[in-house]
Amino acid sequence: MGKQGCVYLIGAGPGDIGLLTLKGYTYLQRADVVLYDRLVNPLLLEWAPPQAEFIYCGKMPKKHILRQEAINDLLVQHGLEGKNVVRLKGGDPSVFGRVGEEVEVLKNAGVAYEIVPGITAGIGAAAYADVPVTHREHSHSFAVITGHDKSPSGEPLIDWQALAKGIDTIAFYMGLANLPYIADQLISHGRSSETPVLLIQWGTTGKQRTLQGSLATIVERAKAEQFKNPAIILVGEVSKLKKGESWFESQPLFSQHLLLGRTNEEPSEIGEHLRDKGAEVFEFPRMQVKKYRLTEANMATDRDLLFLSPASVEVFFESLQRNKIDIRTIQGNLYGLSKKTIMALEAYHCRAEEIADRTSNDSRLLIFGDTSWADLEEERERFALEHDFIITHAYDRVHQTEHTFSRLRDEERIDTIIFPNARSVETVTAGLQACGESPSVISRHARVICFGGKSKQAATNAGYSVHTVLARPSEDALFEELLKKEAPHAVVLS
């Protein structure tokens, strides 16, 4: 009997990748196939396994990339093939996510499934705008309503009388096209024309915009500000609780969409810190390690050893075990190029120091690193003029990262490119070219920031127009530079 497949119908939340549930994250990391919708943040795709297949099921008003029937067929097909299938939906799958239809099809086909709830946009977007949907003084009831339906006009056919008079806070989903109709129906069925209204566009993302008004004024204001879907229409007294910028909108790097050049498989601390300050960060391209097999001849035990990355540490100790070499035979000192590498060595219960602290050059140094260091003899000689270099691993680009880039580009969610070093220019450029993008085109629409002269020279040689070179090659200097200029919202990369 073959492996039984399962379809996981997962709510991805309203946009902020941090709002995906732990259970959803766990299943996404095991996925063989991911079918995802337009309102799913493309950055979530970076958490899927490198071999996962991505299928875009984007839906826009009157324009479907895949019709629901085709999506249903794909879920059944892959489930019957014994695969772990993740159906990733914006918000909560049970709130206007058509999960009921998909479940019925899976049941009829005998395919196992599981529903993983998510944070729905009406609650998540409101919270990121500083508005609670219930409040002891303003709202004792809350309803979510579709802003359009299957009626010939697309205007929601609901009990307007009960809604207007019986519900304190109402969240209309994807209803901006019907905003005049919605406002008219609520007023004509007894809701005061002065009832506060809050529009939240692209809630919980760096593209979040809000607009306040009343049932009497919101239509003209939305038209003047060119508000469009995806958006939530929040009607009720709680809407007036928003005063100025919300906690989310007041983050120092809010609205900035950064592409941070990546050279290895590990997410960077800089990227994490930028996210903590409110930026959306895409570390590109995603990489995976291809480990080399070290022989006993590669592992001299009488020299000082320098490891250039945590991955080189891992390969070395795996090779020790495979070659049955007792760690106690290592007589030299152990050094790491970075704090992360030192920590990797300490995880194997070894005492290690940073290479900058090495005071003795009496012994020939044995250096372990990835293929990118093979041609950098001058760089290696900074550590020791007399040394041998052993290649422990290579980094291969995960091709799904190109899919993530394409979706972010199409959604105008890349406005700044950051090159921390010259090597990042090489890896990013190779990734862009795989996506059909060129350095000259992308740097006409996104500012390019380089950490120093070497990265600037590499970027210029590759065809980028460099906008800024940091005064100091540091995270603090980068933060200061990003604070100088608010990244643009509307950027078309190609």
Side-chain angles (χ1 to χ4, degrees), residues 213-482:
S214 65
L215 286 176
T217 63
I218 197 63
V219 171
E220 289 303 316
R221 291 187 179 182
K223 183 177 180 181
E225 295 295 327
Q226 298 183 332
F227 260 62
K228 299 177 181 178
N229 285 321
I232 294 293
I233 305 167
L234 201 65
V235 179
E237 293 300 314
V238 293
S239 297
K240 69 183 180 183
L241 296 177
K242 179 170 173 56
K243 308 287 185 183
E245 290 184 338
S246 69
W247 66 268
F248 177 61
E249 297 155 356
S250 62
Q251 294 178 108
L253 298 184
F254 168 73
S255 86
Q256 299 212 28
H257 300 81
L258 313 178
L259 186 153
L260 179 62
R262 189 173 188 172
T263 59
N264 58 44
E265 87 286 6
E266 296 180 349
S268 71
E269 289 185 1
I270 292 178
E272 181 182 346
H273 297 160
L274 292 173
R275 290 185 192 94
D276 290 342
K277 292 178 171 65
E280 284 196 2
V281 183
F282 176 34
E283 297 187 52
F284 177 81
R286 183 181 175 192
M287 313 289 277
Q288 61 181 335
V289 176
K290 178 183 178 182
K291 297 179 180 179
Y292 285 31
R293 294 177 67 90
L294 304 187
T295 65
E296 188 171 353
N298 298 139
M299 307 172 70
T301 58
D302 59 345
R303 304 185 194 175
D304 286 351
L305 310 180
L306 167 61
F307 298 91
L308 300 179
S309 69
S312 62
V313 173
E314 186 176 340
V315 171
F316 177 81
F317 280 92
E318 288 177 356
S319 299
L320 279 182
Q321 184 176 17
R322 185 171 54 250
N323 291 294
K324 296 182 169 54
I325 299 174
D326 192 326
I327 193 173
R328 291 172 293 184
T329 64
I330 298 176
Q331 299 173 18
N333 296 317
L334 303 183
Y335 296 93
L337 183 59
S338 66
K339 290 181 179 179
K340 279 189 175 181
T341 307
I342 299 293
M343 291 173 62
L345 286 163
E346 291 175 344
Y348 285 96
H349 306 288
C350 294
R351 183 178 180 275
E353 300 178 76
E354 290 196 43
I355 188 61
D357 298 330
R358 186 175 187 245
T359 57
S360 173
N361 292 312
D362 295 339
S363 61
R364 188 180 182 93
L365 192 64
L366 194 59
I367 302 177
F368 297 88
D370 68 86
T371 52
S372 69
W373 286 88
D375 297 326
L376 302 178
E377 187 171 358
E378 289 186 12
E379 293 291 319
R380 300 198 309 267
E381 287 178 348
R382 290 192 297 111
F383 311 129
L385 286 174
E386 295 295 324
H387 70 268
D388 290 314
F389 177 63
I390 306 299
I391 296 176
T392 54
H393 62 288
Y395 290 112
D396 292 335
R397 189 175 69 252
V398 176
H399 293 294
Q400 289 95 324
T401 198
E402 299 154 17
H403 192 106
T404 307
F405 172 85
S406 298
R407 289 299 314 141
L408 289 170
R409 176 188 58 190
D410 292 347
E411 293 181 5
E412 302 170 357
R413 290 168 76 165
I414 301 172
D415 49 50
T416 301
I417 299 173
I418 301 166
F419 291 124
N421 50 51
R423 189 182 169 206
S424 66
V425 176
E426 179 184 340
T427 57
V428 168
T429 303
L432 293 181
Q433 290 172 342
C435 299
E437 189 63 85
S438 71
S440 59
V441 170
I442 196 170
S443 54
R444 285 203 300 266
H445 304 286
R447 57 178 167 160
V448 175
I449 298 175
C450 294
F451 265 51
K454 288 186 177 180
S455 54
K456 178 190 177 183
Q457 187 62 53
T460 302
N461 291 343
Y464 297 90
S465 297
V466 176
H467 297 71
T468 304
V469 177
L470 299 181
R472 313 178 302 282
S474 68
E475 181 181 329
D476 288 342
L478 174 62
F479 180 55
E480 290 171 9
E481 179 61 33
L482 292 173

Side-chain angles (χ1 to χ4, degrees), residues 131 138-139 164 167-172 179 182-183 186-187 191-199 211-219 221 232-243:
V131 176
H138 302 290
S139 175
I167 304 296
D168 295 328
T169 303
I170 313 167
F172 290 92
L179 184 57
I182 290 169
L186 289 174
I187 293 171
R191 200 69 172 244
S192 168
S193 61
E194 298 304 311
T195 302
V197 178
L198 175 66
L199 305 185
L211 182 66
Q212 289 178 285
S214 65
L215 286 176
T217 63
I218 197 63
V219 171
R221 291 187 179 182
I232 294 293
I233 305 167
L234 201 65
V235 179
E237 293 300 314
V238 293
S239 297
K240 69 183 180 183
L241 296 177
K242 179 170 173 56
K243 308 287 185 183

Side-chain angles (χ1 to χ4, degrees), residues 3-289:
K3 172 188 170 186
Q4 183 175 357
C6 186
V7 176
Y8 301 96
L9 304 142
I10 299 174
D16 183 344
I17 61 173
L19 296 181
L20 180 70
T21 65
L22 179 59
K23 194 169 192 178
Y25 172 74
T26 300
Y27 288 150
L28 182 57
Q29 288 193 306
R30 302 174 186 169
D32 297 310
V33 182
V34 180
L35 293 89
Y36 71 101
D37 287 342
R38 171 180 172 243
L39 296 183
V40 168
N41 191 329
L43 292 175
L44 291 175
L45 301 177
E46 296 293 283
W47 292 342
Q51 71 278 4
E53 177 185 356
F54 294 156
I55 301 174
Y56 179 50
C57 307
K59 295 180 181 179
M60 298 178 68
K62 301 180 181 179
K63 181 180 178 181
H64 292 184
I65 303 298
L66 280 179
R67 299 204 66 82
Q68 188 62 48
E69 294 77 8
I71 295 171
N72 295 344
D73 291 343
L74 286 168
L75 294 176
V76 170
Q77 172 193 328
H78 290 298
L80 291 176
E81 289 173 353
K83 296 176 182 177
N84 287 327
V85 183
V86 165
R87 176 73 173 102
L88 207 54
K89 298 169 174 285
D92 182 286
S94 299
V95 181
F96 308 127
R98 303 187 73 169
V99 76
E101 299 168 47
E102 293 174 356
V103 162
E104 183 177 2
V105 169
L106 294 170
K107 279 182 178 179
N108 292 339
V111 176
Y113 68 91
E114 185 173 331
I115 300 175
V116 181
I119 296 175
T120 189
I123 296 173
Y128 274 49
D130 260 352
V131 176
V133 293
T134 64
H135 191 286
R136 291 182 66 181
E137 296 180 7
H138 302 290
S139 175
H140 299 128
S141 56
F142 170 62
V144 294
I145 308 293
T146 180
H148 64 280
D149 60 19
K150 296 193 298 181
S151 65
S153 66
E155 297 170 343
L157 300 175
I158 55 179
D159 187 342
W160 288 102
Q161 184 79 17
L163 189 65
K165 292 189 173 181
I167 304 296
D168 295 328
T169 303
I170 313 167
F172 290 92
Y173 285 51
M174 304 294 282
L176 281 184
N178 288 325
L179 184 57
Y181 175 80
I182 290 169
D184 286 345
Q185 290 298 313
L186 289 174
I187 293 171
S188 64
H189 286 88
R191 200 69 172 244
S192 168
S193 61
E194 298 304 311
T195 302
V197 178
L198 175 66
L199 305 185
I200 311 168
Q201 184 183 53
W202 285 105
T204 80
T205 76
K207 297 174 70 174
Q208 177 170 305
R209 296 172 64 205
T210 59
L211 182 66
Q212 289 178 285
S214 65
L215 286 176
T217 63
I218 197 63
V219 171
E220 289 303 316
R221 291 187 179 182
K223 183 177 180 181
E225 295 295 327
Q226 298 183 332
F227 260 62
K228 299 177 181 178
N229 285 321
I232 294 293
I233 305 167
L234 201 65
V235 179
E237 293 300 314
V238 293
S239 297
K240 69 183 180 183
L241 296 177
K242 179 170 173 56
K243 308 287 185 183
E245 290 184 338
S246 69
W247 66 268
F248 177 61
E249 297 155 356
S250 62
Q251 294 178 108
L253 298 184
F254 168 73
S255 86
Q256 299 212 28
H257 300 81
L258 313 178
L259 186 153
L260 179 62
R262 189 173 188 172
T263 59
N264 58 44
E265 87 286 6
E266 296 180 349
S268 71
E269 289 185 1
I270 292 178
E272 181 182 346
H273 297 160
L274 292 173
R275 290 185 192 94
D276 290 342
K277 292 178 171 65
E280 284 196 2
V281 183
F282 176 34
E283 297 187 52
F284 177 81
R286 183 181 175 192
M287 313 289 277
Q288 61 181 335
V289 176

